[in-house]
Amino acid sequence: MRYADDCNVYVRSEGAGRRVMASLERFLRKRLRLKVNRHKSAVTRPWKRTFLGYTVTPDRRPKLKVAPGSEKRLKGKLKQIFRRGRGRSLGRVIEELTPILRGWVAYFKLAEVRASFERLEKWIRRKLRCLLWRQWKRPPTQLRELCNRGLDRERASASAYNGRGPWWNARASHLHQAVPNRWLERHGLVNLTHEWRRLQCPA
């Protein structure tokens, strides 16, 4: 026999919440012989709780959104792919990212707030640009690649020899110009916001 081990109950006041909590605990203990985990249970504001990876905004009319913990878990999973990707082509890395990103967006398609999708998009793009910069390794190669991608030689040289690390360069304007968002998408990167909108408004 299976039991639902996670649920949220919404009421109008903290007092009502405490009464409902006590009533539920009695029912579960006496009728079902189950014990409530007090460390995971609480009477608190809805936007301070998560349910199945979602939470809500603190607005008068709350909106469903992706919980911060869900974003963090996805980043942890993707970091493993980025670490393995240092010796592989960007296309192979994006190919490995694609099913994970599509599955994640499909799960969170009910979210009404797009901020999580936009934040993750920026972070993923920066990680991919960082990966490219690491693959180019030395300033002469970085200079050549930047020139090949449309930067004038003076700017490309200043960028390649700026002495900054890959993560800093991944956010700089020279790498955004050399590796624009549309280039990443042409190579298969899922646009999370567009995919989320598409799933919300199926044809």
Side-chain angles (χ1 to χ4, degrees), residues 181-192:
N181 295 346
R182 62 181 179 275
W183 185 90
L184 292 171
E185 289 178 19
R186 280 203 307 270
H187 283 73
L189 181 63
V190 177
N191 185 308
L192 298 182

Side-chain angles (χ1 to χ4, degrees), residues 52-93:
L52 302 177
Y54 285 89
T55 188
V56 295
T57 63
D59 304 320
R60 185 175 180 83
R61 291 188 175 183
K63 294 181 179 179
L64 200 61
K65 71 173 190 175
V66 179
S70 300
E71 289 185 49
K72 186 176 180 180
R73 283 189 292 275
L74 177 64
K75 281 186 173 183
K77 189 172 186 178
L78 298 184
K79 281 178 181 178
Q80 298 175 24
I81 297 174
F82 290 126
R83 280 195 290 269
R84 295 197 300 269
R86 294 182 183 180
R88 296 187 297 166
S89 70
L90 204 68
R92 290 288 301 278
V93 175

